[in-house]
Amino acid sequence: MAEARLAASLWVAAYLARLAQATIPAYVLARGDDTAGAIAVKCAHLDGTAALWMREWDMDSDTRPWVAVQTGPERDIDAAIARQRSRDRDLWVLEIEARDGRTLLDQDGLF
């Protein structure tokens, strides 16, 4: 059965609100398609490194969990985002700042 889909703009607004409640600074770097845009979350660790989180299909469970698809120097993450955005203008890009790498993406309710 297909997974229920929430409009990207609504998901982003809810995620930003949850981050604000947890006092995790967050910014929209690029606005994508309001309805069906994919979402990339960059977590800047404030030490020159970062992680890039995206949803990927898990064929075994037929779900789309959040996965850290790349980690490393922040400039490398920024370059990966720029490449992805050049191919997908509908992509939303969010940046959060968390020294401890906490994204809240592992919490229930963030699909």
Side-chain angles (χ1 to χ4, degrees), residues 55-95:
R55 292 182 74 195
E56 291 193 347
W57 281 108
D58 178 345
M59 297 298 190
D60 293 333
S61 65
D62 196 29
T63 60
R64 294 181 60 220
W66 285 96
V67 177
V69 296
Q70 186 175 347
T71 60
E74 192 166 359
R75 68 181 174 279
D76 293 350
I77 302 302
D78 290 339
I81 291 169
R83 284 190 303 275
Q84 183 77 13
R85 185 98 169 112
S86 73
R87 291 188 301 270
D88 182 1
R89 301 306 297 171
D90 292 335
L91 179 69
W92 286 79
V93 181
L94 309 178
E95 179 173 340

Side-chain angles (χ1 to χ4, degrees), residues 8-85:
S9 61
L10 292 175
W11 188 93
V12 167
Y15 182 54
L16 292 174
R18 286 184 82 172
L19 290 167
Q21 288 176 339
T23 64
I24 299 172
Y27 315 92
V28 176
L29 297 180
R31 185 180 175 91
D33 182 77
D34 284 339
T35 305
I39 301 165
V41 177
K42 172 187 166 185
C43 180
H45 300 141
L46 304 175
D47 64 356
T49 65
L52 177 61
W53 291 79
M54 296 190 78
R55 292 182 74 195
E56 291 193 347
W57 281 108
D58 178 345
M59 297 298 190
D60 293 333
S61 65
D62 196 29
T63 60
R64 294 181 60 220
W66 285 96
V67 177
V69 296
Q70 186 175 347
T71 60
E74 192 166 359
R75 68 181 174 279
D76 293 350
I77 302 302
D78 290 339
I81 291 169
R83 284 190 303 275
Q84 183 77 13
R85 185 98 169 112

